[in-house]
Amino acid sequence: MLLHLSTWPEVDRYLAHRQSIILPIGSTEQHGPTGLIGTDAITAEAIAKVVGEQTGTLVGPTIPVGMAHHHMGFPGSMTLRPSTLIQVIRDSVLSLAAHGFRSVLFINGHGGNINTVNAAFYEIYEEARATLGDAAPALRCALCSWFALPGVGALQAELFGDREGLHATPSEVSVTQAVHPDHIKTASLDPIAPTAGAFHDSRDFRARFPDGRMGADPSLATPEHGHRFIAAAAAEIAERYGEFLAGA
Amino acid sequence: MLLHLSTWPEVDRYLAHRQSIILPIGSTEQHGPTGLIGTDAITAEAIAKVVGEQTGTLVGPTIPVGMAHHHMGFPGSMTLRPSTLIQVIRDSVLSLAAHGFRSVLFINGHGGNINTVNAAFYEIYEEARATLGDAAPALRCALCSWFALPGVGALQAELFGDREGLHATPSEVSVTQAVHPDHIKTASLDPIAPTAGAFHDSRDFRARFPDGRMGADPSLATPEHGHRFIAAAAAEIAERYGEFLAGA
Amino acid sequence: MLLHLSTWPEVDRYLAHRQSIILPIGSTEQHGPTGLIGTDAITAEAIAKVVGEQTGTLVGPTIPVGMAHHHMGFPGSMTLRPSTLIQVIRDSVLSLAAHGFRSVLFINGHGGNINTVNAAFYEIYEEARATLGDAAPALRCALCSWFALPGVGALQAELFGDREGLHATPSEVSVTQAVHPDHIKTASLDPIAPTAGAFHDSRDFRARFPDGRMGADPSLATPEHGHRFIAAAAAEIAERYGEFLAGA
Amino acid sequence: MLLHLSTWPEVDRYLAHRQSIILPIGSTEQHGPTGLIGTDAITAEAIAKVVGEQTGTLVGPTIPVGMAHHHMGFPGSMTLRPSTLIQVIRDSVLSLAAHGFRSVLFINGHGGNINTVNAAFYEIYEEARATLGDAAPALRCALCSWFALPGVGALQAELFGDREGLHATPSEVSVTQAVHPDHIKTASLDPIAPTAGAFHDSRDFRARFPDGRMGADPSLATPEHGHRFIAAAAAEIAERYGEFLAGA
Amino acid sequence: MLLHLSTWPEVDRYLAHRQSIILPIGSTEQHGPTGLIGTDAITAEAIAKVVGEQTGTLVGPTIPVGMAHHHMGFPGSMTLRPSTLIQVIRDSVLSLAAHGFRSVLFINGHGGNINTVNAAFYEIYEEARATLGDAAPALRCALCSWFALPGVGALQAELFGDREGLHATPSEVSVTQAVHPDHIKTASLDPIAPTAGAFHDSRDFRARFPDGRMGADPSLATPEHGHRFIAAAAAEIAERYGEFLAGA
Amino acid sequence: MLLHLSTWPEVDRYLAHRQSIILPIGSTEQHGPTGLIGTDAITAEAIAKVVGEQTGTLVGPTIPVGMAHHHMGFPGSMTLRPSTLIQVIRDSVLSLAAHGFRSVLFINGHGGNINTVNAAFYEIYEEARATLGDAAPALRCALCSWFALPGVGALQAELFGDREGLHATPSEVSVTQAVHPDHIKTASLDPIAPTAGAFHDSRDFRARFPDGRMGADPSLATPEHGHRFIAAAAAEIAERYGEFLAGA
């Protein structure tokens, strides 16, 4: 059940028995010479839809632009400042809380969002505590980055070994190829991309990773692999959904 | 050309000859008993895509949640505060400006966004003036609300007369039916919805418009009408795109 | 009754029977070679006073500086960023709400304020909803731009025809001449000022409108016309004041 | 020379030889049973006008609402939060700096503004340093509270002795009577008002100072005294204006 | 009793009988050629500890960085913007208020903090009023700058006469020598430092006070003097602590 | 070399050959029945001092209050909102950058700070990019949480096995005992503390971890162990300091 394809009476009925919602969050940023700029939003949304189906959970709108400062050296990348993204997360969660939603699971496609989204959860909790005190709703916010799930990691290793890398990876590119098989891009790529993981600002990032890839060989991507990643990630999240609900 | 389905080298090549981009902006809010909660994002995105094709303009990610406080009395509605939305618009435009984009056309599906998005443009211009002075880029931001275009208004009048109304209208519902023909909702509706246009906060809105419609009869919507609205709106925007570029 | 010329016991007595207040809002910005920089505050305040008298409504302090980025290319213009003006409106309204005021009518002299002030109303409503929930006061905020009232438009057309223009207009200059007959400025003006209405930032504005006028011929202004505009605008607002109170 | 009664070409000519401006700042707050709610704005503006005349300095618009939280227990009082007032001061000063103004003297009528306005100056300086570095304009901001000038203090002592008090004082009420002789309010006042100067929040203030006065006997006020205070304060500020310009 | 050396059950027991806390606030900024950059935090903390012992009051963590824009022309100086420091003070006080603390005395070592910290108190009070109304806790915040206490002033005059000056003073340097006798710095100093007290931004400050001292001769400092200042300041604050509690 | 015990000429000389600085960051929060509320600041500062000595790096002031919302259910805990802490980090780093510092290593004692501090780094980088563009300084910010270093983990396992736990751990308590051997607290503790790691807001935390400990047995702490942890953590950070400088 997708929020944007539902009516308010349908949501009203949903809330009568369930107070959970999933929000996909992605990014709009370079993904190397062949990766789509919308990769992180596309992957998060695709996986969230399947999780929603498997668990009977409502899925809200995908946040398309995240915190991607470090990719700003490449044309087409967009970023919110962390302080802006915190307010977007806050307003989104508090809007949902007003209707009775009590648990919000963000399914995330972009590593650069992790710190800021987690910080946002505490911004929300602390504001609720300070203004509402004991009357604050018992909100449970959680973030799940699909690409870092153990089962997904096993599949990455099985299919791509050390050519998976850290950015513009064959696993995420595979997912976008599964979703958009008519938008598969090719380029002649040096199979060896720089692998050093650390970087500072966006200029530093571009200097270290000239074509945008971090140790990844996205030429290994296929739509078939993508379908396997969607299935694996969704199954793992669905299986662990109860943990989230339990706050465990 | 869609930004999220492009690679950074493709954007790089685009920027070599053109510095315009379109950003659709919608809302996530109730649209009456049969309208989709994502209506305003769906319509803005659908029309923006066609405008992009007809004018050869890049189309960026859709902002899915806008300023919809007044709909918060209905389950599933989400809103950003105006102050948050201003920062989202600001960060989005300044991200694009960093790559050389100089004109940003927001194609808008929600009346409630108009004031805030226009305020955001001046937030951007004033910050650029104050921090960069004469070195500020010559940015041109504009907002086009498809539902308020003259040609669209003529079609609304022709097809629906005074049953078009102001919210959850048959024209916008038609567009969502054209885009998502498998998500057409029906309900037994009182054909007469309250038509008084003014309201204050979200409680006042719900008291005045109990099922969420404002003077609209969305039972008149059809996918065919939707295709006509998409075509009409896109053609009108495409034709006037030059005006925007000229700042006229 | 003017708030700044009242005592707190007088306000206390007023609140016992009436919870409405008027706040004039202007701008401090260039108004062409002969228009006063304080034009928009002067006009809003003059008209608000008469409305206050005719309707028995308290009139609060005039906000003298508004959102006037686009005039910053001309010496003496001042502007608040939209984000600052939103907070000023918010604090002003919430201060008044604390005493029991429930409806606040802003009488506005400057087109550039419209988007931001309307956005501010939703900032207020949404913050009240999020922090106070059902205990939020039932506030009714509205904005009335005197220069855009139908009756005022008819008078503009009658007296000045197409020489009224859009900025530094003979109608607003007339009002300032009526209020400050000892500060009538003259200059040799090209009767034809550029009329294109669209512009982007402050540099673009100055380039398009070199002397600050937008299609206006303020040499037609007279104090007598000014008195007529004050009377016409005030009467129209006073007559429609009930609509505002009814939220209609 | 008053900014709001000037045209932009007049300001342009002024700036060719002088880069100073005066901004009056007041408050909208209770001033006891007989004091006007606009007292602090009225007094600051009246004195600023005379200083402007005597020193040939431009006088900008009066900031009518200041930081008056502690008076919020009395109907009609309005306040900006300190964080809002800081942004208002910042935007005002940076607007003027954009035109070439380099020194801004705030003539202040309200003790409650002092901390916030001084904090705002450092907000401005620090932002300019951080964003513009050595290119930051050499701004000189200063605050002068007329009621705390030594010469004014001598006159307060001479005319009212220990009945001057700290709030709703006969000196400030006298000034408003001089400016608005047709708005002199009377009430039967206990000549002895609580004199303890310390307080915390607005409830504490009202509990300590039940009718709003702090140790003051405003029944001693006369318009004649008011004219003397305006003259004395203005002369003292005008005489010391050079110190301000010298930054001494 | 120091908060950072206590456990939560100890604080719980403390709160059962007393709801006061002391927070030292300093600065990290140049103090002339021989003064420590941490001077203001060191002095505030040292004195606060003794006050805490003498009055049985809990002492919280020292805020080490304050508002020191004007010292930014000298290496090693750090500053918070006033707007940031206001939020730090707000969050600190509201954290403590959540546990039942009702009076917070800031013992301050830096003149540059005074305006901002006092502004912060009103930010707190006003936010509590606006969001909590009558349910807001009765908070009492106060700021005591040890170096400006009357008794301390007498000792400064007795020991150093007019060589005390205004910044990098022998009194504050003496206190740091008492606390850190192994970090006494010496340099050949011109005994005459510029004494003009007024300045604007950090460049202006450095131009007027080239080595960072303002009219002070810190070569007069000794650890023995420092012990006397600590004792004198602490005794004076402890004696007047009741005034603070009474809000007098 | 400690910044607060240095003079500005000493910092000036330091900067001539080195542009690195260390900032310890802690928290003020409950650490179980026997742990000090200042634990995280004490540990971070103690380890940072040794790192500073071993690497010849300047150590700045300790940030004593961090992001500790989840501990607010226990008396004495203090927290900054994430949005406030981001501004504190921003202002601190930009202050240092103004003097020529180019790398800032935060040595962190509190897990709850990690997300927010990392988010702050991108706030800084993005603001610098947006306002300064290519002229932005090449800043390198990094965060090192001493308790999560591999070598420290090995020592935790060796000394405490699975009784180390996650909060109020014997390792951190040991460090505070080494630094403050005169403030060792004891209590009769249930050796088994709840170990579930997940929690949501501060009420949820207190419900899950009633005495504040998370799976830890701090009764195993000794000052001797503390000295070993300080040495091990410092040595590991010092050894890897080059990686940080290289951005590796």
Side-chain angles (χ1 to χ4, degrees):
Chain A
M1 183 176 173
L2 302 180
L3 181 62
H4 72 279
L5 297 182
S6 305
T7 65
W8 74 258
E10 289 171 341
V11 176
D12 205 29
R13 289 192 289 274
Y14 175 89
L15 280 162
H17 65 92
R18 192 163 162 86
Q19 294 77 43
S20 293
I21 191 167
I22 292 168
L23 291 185
I25 178 168
S27 184
T28 296
E29 66 184 41
Q30 69 85 16
H31 274 78
T34 58
L36 304 182
I37 285 176
T39 294
D40 296 344
I42 293 165
T43 59
E45 185 171 298
I47 291 163
K49 280 182 184 173
V50 181
V51 175
E53 290 160 12
Q54 294 184 349
T55 61
T57 309
L58 189 63
V59 179
T62 302
I63 298 176
V65 180
M67 206 306 293
H69 160 79
H70 42 307
H71 297 294
M72 284 297 295
F74 296 88
S77 298
M78 298 174 69
T79 188
L80 300 182
R81 288 170 293 170
S83 56
T84 299
L85 183 52
I86 285 174
Q87 298 306 318
V88 170
I89 300 289
R90 173 211 175 273
D91 288 7
S92 298
V93 170
L94 292 186
S95 291
L96 294 165
H99 302 305
F101 290 99
R102 286 296 172 266
S103 79
V104 186
L105 176 63
F106 287 80
I107 293 185
N108 176 39
H110 173 48
N113 289 335
I114 295 174
N115 287 311
T116 300
V117 175
N118 278 302
F121 295 163
Y122 286 94
E123 187 82 11
I124 294 166
Y125 295 149
E126 178 60 13
E127 178 179 332
R129 188 198 64 71
T131 58
L132 301 178
D134 291 340
L139 289 172
R140 293 179 294 182
C141 300
L143 179 70
C144 171
S145 296
W146 72 267
F147 51 86
L149 289 164
V152 169
L155 190 59
Q156 290 164 337
E158 173 196 332
L159 295 176
F160 310 125
D162 62 4
R163 295 166 75 185
E164 165 70 5
L166 294 170
H167 187 67
T169 63
S171 62
E172 60 185 347
V173 171
S174 293
V175 172
T176 65
Q177 291 182 351
V179 178
H180 292 286
D182 49 344
H183 284 83
I184 297 177
K185 312 290 171 100
T186 55
S188 136
L189 290 179
D190 184 339
I192 310 294
T195 57
F199 55 86
H200 299 285
D201 70 6
S202 57
R203 288 175 305 186
D204 189 35
F205 186 98
R206 176 123 202 195
R208 290 171 191 260
F209 310 107
D211 73 2
R213 293 177 297 149
M214 298 176 74
D217 183 0
S219 70
L220 302 177
T222 69
E224 294 69 30
H225 290 334
H227 286 293
R228 288 186 65 186
F229 277 105
I230 293 172
E236 192 166 353
I237 299 172
E239 185 184 330
R240 292 175 54 190
Y241 205 87
E243 292 176 38
F244 166 68
L245 286 181
Chain B
M1 182 178 175
L2 301 180
L3 181 62
H4 72 280
L5 297 182
S6 304
T7 65
W8 74 258
E10 289 171 340
V11 176
D12 206 28
R13 288 192 289 273
Y14 175 89
L15 280 162
H17 65 93
R18 192 162 161 88
Q19 293 79 43
S20 293
I21 191 167
I22 293 167
L23 291 185
I25 178 166
S27 183
T28 296
E29 67 184 40
Q30 69 85 15
H31 273 79
T34 58
L36 305 182
I37 285 176
T39 294
D40 297 344
I42 293 165
T43 59
E45 186 171 298
I47 292 162
K49 280 182 184 172
V50 181
V51 175
E53 289 161 11
Q54 294 184 350
T55 61
T57 309
L58 190 64
V59 178
T62 302
I63 298 177
V65 181
M67 205 308 293
H69 160 79
H70 42 307
H71 296 293
M72 284 297 294
F74 296 86
S77 298
M78 298 175 68
T79 188
L80 300 183
R81 288 170 293 170
S83 57
T84 299
L85 183 53
I86 286 174
Q87 299 306 318
V88 170
I89 301 288
R90 173 210 174 273
D91 288 7
S92 298
V93 170
L94 292 186
S95 291
L96 294 165
H99 302 306
F101 289 100
R102 287 295 172 267
S103 78
V104 186
L105 176 62
F106 287 80
I107 293 183
N108 176 40
H110 173 49
N113 289 335
I114 295 174
N115 288 311
T116 300
V117 175
N118 277 303
F121 296 162
Y122 286 94
E123 188 82 10
I124 294 167
Y125 295 149
E126 178 60 12
E127 178 179 332
R129 188 198 64 70
T131 59
L132 300 178
D134 292 339
L139 288 172
R140 293 179 295 180
C141 299
L143 179 71
C144 172
S145 296
W146 73 266
F147 51 86
L149 289 165
V152 169
L155 190 58
Q156 290 164 336
E158 172 196 332
L159 295 176
F160 311 124
D162 61 5
R163 295 165 76 187
E164 165 70 6
L166 294 169
H167 187 67
T169 63
S171 62
E172 61 185 345
V173 172
S174 292
V175 173
T176 66
Q177 291 182 351
V179 178
H180 291 286
D182 49 345
H183 284 83
I184 297 177
K185 313 290 172 100
T186 55
S188 135
L189 290 179
D190 183 340
I192 310 296
T195 56
F199 54 86
H200 298 285
D201 71 5
S202 56
R203 289 175 305 186
D204 188 35
F205 186 98
R206 176 124 201 194
R208 290 171 191 259
F209 310 105
D211 73 1
R213 294 177 295 149
M214 297 174 76
D217 183 358
S219 70
L220 303 177
T222 69
E224 294 69 31
H225 290 335
H227 286 294
R228 286 186 65 184
F229 278 105
I230 294 173
E236 192 166 353
I237 299 173
E239 185 184 329
R240 292 175 51 189
Y241 205 88
E243 292 175 38
F244 166 67
L245 286 181
Chain C
M1 183 177 173
L2 301 180
L3 181 61
H4 72 280
L5 296 182
S6 304
T7 65
W8 74 257
E10 289 171 341
V11 176
D12 206 29
R13 289 192 289 272
Y14 175 88
L15 280 163
H17 65 93
R18 192 162 161 87
Q19 293 78 42
S20 294
I21 190 167
I22 293 167
L23 290 185
I25 177 166
S27 183
T28 296
E29 67 184 42
Q30 70 85 15
H31 274 76
T34 59
L36 304 182
I37 285 176
T39 294
D40 298 343
I42 293 165
T43 60
E45 184 171 300
I47 292 162
K49 280 182 184 174
V50 181
V51 175
E53 289 161 10
Q54 293 183 349
T55 61
T57 309
L58 190 63
V59 178
T62 301
I63 298 177
V65 180
M67 205 309 291
H69 160 79
H70 41 308
H71 297 293
M72 285 297 293
F74 296 86
S77 298
M78 297 175 69
T79 188
L80 300 182
R81 288 170 291 171
S83 57
T84 300
L85 183 53
I86 285 174
Q87 299 306 318
V88 170
I89 301 287
R90 174 211 174 272
D91 288 8
S92 298
V93 169
L94 292 187
S95 291
L96 294 165
H99 302 306
F101 290 99
R102 287 295 171 266
S103 79
V104 185
L105 176 62
F106 287 79
I107 293 184
N108 176 40
H110 172 49
N113 289 335
I114 295 173
N115 288 311
T116 300
V117 175
N118 278 303
F121 294 163
Y122 286 94
E123 187 83 10
I124 294 166
Y125 295 149
E126 177 60 12
E127 178 180 331
R129 188 198 63 71
T131 58
L132 301 178
D134 291 340
L139 288 173
R140 293 179 294 182
C141 299
L143 179 71
C144 171
S145 296
W146 72 266
F147 50 86
L149 290 164
V152 169
L155 190 59
Q156 290 164 338
E158 172 196 332
L159 294 176
F160 311 125
D162 62 3
R163 294 166 75 186
E164 166 69 6
L166 295 169
H167 188 67
T169 63
S171 62
E172 62 184 344
V173 172
S174 291
V175 173
T176 65
Q177 291 182 352
V179 178
H180 291 286
D182 49 345
H183 284 84
I184 297 176
K185 313 290 171 99
T186 55
S188 134
L189 291 179
D190 183 340
I192 310 297
T195 57
F199 54 86
H200 299 285
D201 71 5
S202 57
R203 288 174 305 186
D204 188 36
F205 186 99
R206 176 124 200 194
R208 290 172 191 260
F209 310 106
D211 73 0
R213 294 177 296 150
M214 297 175 76
D217 183 359
S219 69
L220 303 176
T222 69
E224 294 69 32
H225 291 334
H227 287 293
R228 287 186 65 185
F229 278 105
I230 294 173
E236 191 166 353
I237 299 173
E239 186 185 329
R240 292 176 50 190
Y241 205 88
E243 291 176 40
F244 166 67
L245 287 180
Chain D
M1 182 178 174
L2 302 180
L3 181 62
H4 71 280
L5 297 182
S6 304
T7 64
W8 74 258
E10 290 171 341
V11 176
D12 205 29
R13 289 191 289 274
Y14 175 88
L15 280 162
H17 65 92
R18 193 163 161 86
Q19 293 79 41
S20 293
I21 190 168
I22 292 167
L23 291 185
I25 178 167
S27 183
T28 296
E29 67 183 42
Q30 69 85 15
H31 273 77
T34 59
L36 305 182
I37 285 175
T39 294
D40 298 343
I42 293 165
T43 60
E45 184 171 299
I47 291 163
K49 280 182 184 173
V50 181
V51 175
E53 289 161 10
Q54 294 183 350
T55 61
T57 309
L58 190 63
V59 178
T62 301
I63 298 176
V65 180
M67 206 306 293
H69 160 79
H70 43 306
H71 297 293
M72 285 297 294
F74 297 87
S77 299
M78 297 174 69
T79 188
L80 300 183
R81 287 170 292 169
S83 56
T84 299
L85 184 52
I86 286 174
Q87 298 306 318
V88 170
I89 301 287
R90 174 212 175 271
D91 288 7
S92 298
V93 169
L94 292 187
S95 291
L96 294 165
H99 303 306
F101 289 99
R102 287 296 172 267
S103 79
V104 185
L105 176 63
F106 287 80
I107 293 184
N108 176 40
H110 173 48
N113 290 335
I114 296 174
N115 287 312
T116 300
V117 175
N118 277 302
F121 295 162
Y122 286 95
E123 187 83 10
I124 294 166
Y125 295 150
E126 178 60 12
E127 178 179 332
R129 188 197 64 70
T131 58
L132 301 177
D134 291 340
L139 288 172
R140 293 179 296 181
C141 299
L143 179 71
C144 172
S145 296
W146 73 267
F147 51 85
L149 290 165
V152 169
L155 190 58
Q156 290 164 337
E158 173 196 330
L159 295 176
F160 310 124
D162 61 5
R163 295 167 75 187
E164 165 70 6
L166 294 169
H167 187 68
T169 63
S171 61
E172 60 185 346
V173 172
S174 293
V175 172
T176 64
Q177 291 182 349
V179 178
H180 292 285
D182 49 345
H183 284 83
I184 297 177
K185 313 290 172 99
T186 56
S188 134
L189 291 179
D190 183 339
I192 310 295
T195 56
F199 55 85
H200 300 284
D201 70 6
S202 57
R203 288 175 305 187
D204 188 36
F205 186 99
R206 175 123 201 196
R208 290 171 191 260
F209 310 106
D211 73 2
R213 294 177 297 149
M214 298 176 74
D217 182 0
S219 69
L220 302 177
T222 69
E224 295 69 31
H225 290 335
H227 286 293
R228 287 187 64 187
F229 278 105
I230 294 173
E236 192 166 352
I237 299 172
E239 185 186 330
R240 292 176 52 190
Y241 204 88
E243 292 176 39
F244 166 68
L245 287 180
Chain E
M1 183 178 174
L2 302 180
L3 181 62
H4 71 280
L5 297 181
S6 304
T7 65
W8 74 258
E10 290 170 341
V11 176
D12 205 29
R13 289 192 289 274
Y14 175 89
L15 280 162
H17 66 92
R18 193 163 161 86
Q19 294 78 42
S20 292
I21 191 167
I22 293 167
L23 290 185
I25 178 167
S27 184
T28 296
E29 67 183 42
Q30 70 85 15
H31 274 78
T34 59
L36 304 182
I37 285 175
T39 294
D40 297 343
I42 293 166
T43 60
E45 183 170 300
I47 292 162
K49 280 182 184 173
V50 181
V51 175
E53 289 161 10
Q54 293 184 350
T55 61
T57 309
L58 189 64
V59 178
T62 301
I63 298 176
V65 180
M67 206 307 293
H69 160 78
H70 42 307
H71 296 294
M72 285 297 294
F74 296 87
S77 298
M78 297 175 69
T79 189
L80 299 182
R81 288 170 292 169
S83 57
T84 300
L85 184 53
I86 285 174
Q87 298 306 319
V88 170
I89 301 287
R90 174 211 175 274
D91 288 7
S92 298
V93 169
L94 291 187
S95 291
L96 295 164
H99 303 305
F101 289 99
R102 287 295 172 269
S103 79
V104 185
L105 177 62
F106 288 80
I107 294 184
N108 176 40
H110 172 50
N113 289 335
I114 295 173
N115 287 312
T116 300
V117 175
N118 277 303
F121 295 163
Y122 286 94
E123 187 83 10
I124 295 166
Y125 295 150
E126 178 60 13
E127 178 179 333
R129 188 198 63 70
T131 58
L132 301 178
D134 290 340
L139 288 173
R140 292 179 297 181
C141 299
L143 179 71
C144 172
S145 297
W146 73 265
F147 51 86
L149 290 164
V152 169
L155 191 58
Q156 290 164 338
E158 173 196 331
L159 294 176
F160 310 125
D162 61 5
R163 294 166 75 186
E164 166 70 7
L166 294 170
H167 186 68
T169 64
S171 62
E172 61 184 344
V173 171
S174 292
V175 173
T176 65
Q177 291 182 351
V179 178
H180 292 285
D182 48 345
H183 283 84
I184 297 177
K185 312 291 172 97
T186 54
S188 134
L189 290 179
D190 184 338
I192 311 295
T195 56
F199 54 87
H200 300 284
D201 71 5
S202 57
R203 287 174 306 184
D204 187 35
F205 186 99
R206 176 122 201 196
R208 289 170 191 260
F209 311 105
D211 74 1
R213 293 177 297 148
M214 297 175 75
D217 183 359
S219 70
L220 302 177
T222 69
E224 294 70 31
H225 290 334
H227 287 294
R228 287 186 65 186
F229 278 105
I230 294 172
E236 192 166 353
I237 299 173
E239 186 184 330
R240 292 176 51 190
Y241 205 88
E243 292 176 38
F244 166 68
L245 286 180
Chain F
M1 183 177 173
L2 302 180
L3 181 62
H4 72 280
L5 297 181
S6 304
T7 64
W8 74 258
E10 290 171 341
V11 176
D12 205 29
R13 289 192 290 274
Y14 176 88
L15 279 163
H17 65 93
R18 193 164 161 85
Q19 293 78 43
S20 293
I21 191 167
I22 292 167
L23 291 186
I25 178 167
S27 183
T28 296
E29 67 183 42
Q30 70 84 17
H31 274 78
T34 59
L36 304 181
I37 285 175
T39 294
D40 297 343
I42 293 165
T43 60
E45 183 170 300
I47 291 162
K49 280 182 184 174
V50 182
V51 174
E53 289 161 9
Q54 293 183 350
T55 61
T57 309
L58 189 63
V59 179
T62 301
I63 297 175
V65 180
M67 205 307 292
H69 161 79
H70 42 307
H71 297 293
M72 284 298 294
F74 297 87
S77 298
M78 297 174 70
T79 189
L80 300 183
R81 288 170 292 170
S83 57
T84 300
L85 184 54
I86 285 174
Q87 298 306 318
V88 170
I89 301 288
R90 174 211 174 273
D91 288 8
S92 297
V93 169
L94 291 187
S95 291
L96 295 165
H99 303 305
F101 289 99
R102 288 294 173 267
S103 79
V104 185
L105 176 62
F106 287 80
I107 293 184
N108 176 39
H110 173 49
N113 289 336
I114 295 174
N115 288 312
T116 300
V117 175
N118 278 304
F121 296 163
Y122 286 95
E123 187 83 10
I124 295 166
Y125 295 149
E126 177 60 12
E127 178 179 332
R129 187 198 64 71
T131 58
L132 301 177
D134 291 339
L139 288 174
R140 292 179 295 181
C141 299
L143 179 71
C144 172
S145 296
W146 72 265
F147 51 86
L149 290 164
V152 169
L155 191 58
Q156 290 165 337
E158 172 195 332
L159 295 177
F160 310 124
D162 61 4
R163 294 166 75 187
E164 165 68 6
L166 293 170
H167 187 67
T169 64
S171 62
E172 61 184 344
V173 171
S174 292
V175 172
T176 65
Q177 291 183 351
V179 178
H180 292 286
D182 49 345
H183 284 84
I184 298 177
K185 313 291 171 98
T186 56
S188 135
L189 291 179
D190 184 339
I192 309 297
T195 56
F199 54 86
H200 300 284
D201 71 5
S202 57
R203 287 175 306 185
D204 187 36
F205 186 99
R206 176 125 200 193
R208 290 170 191 259
F209 311 105
D211 74 1
R213 294 177 296 149
M214 297 175 75
D217 183 359
S219 70
L220 302 176
T222 69
E224 294 70 30
H225 291 334
H227 286 293
R228 286 186 64 185
F229 278 106
I230 294 173
E236 192 166 351
I237 299 172
E239 187 185 329
R240 293 176 50 190
Y241 205 87
E243 292 175 38
F244 165 68
L245 286 181

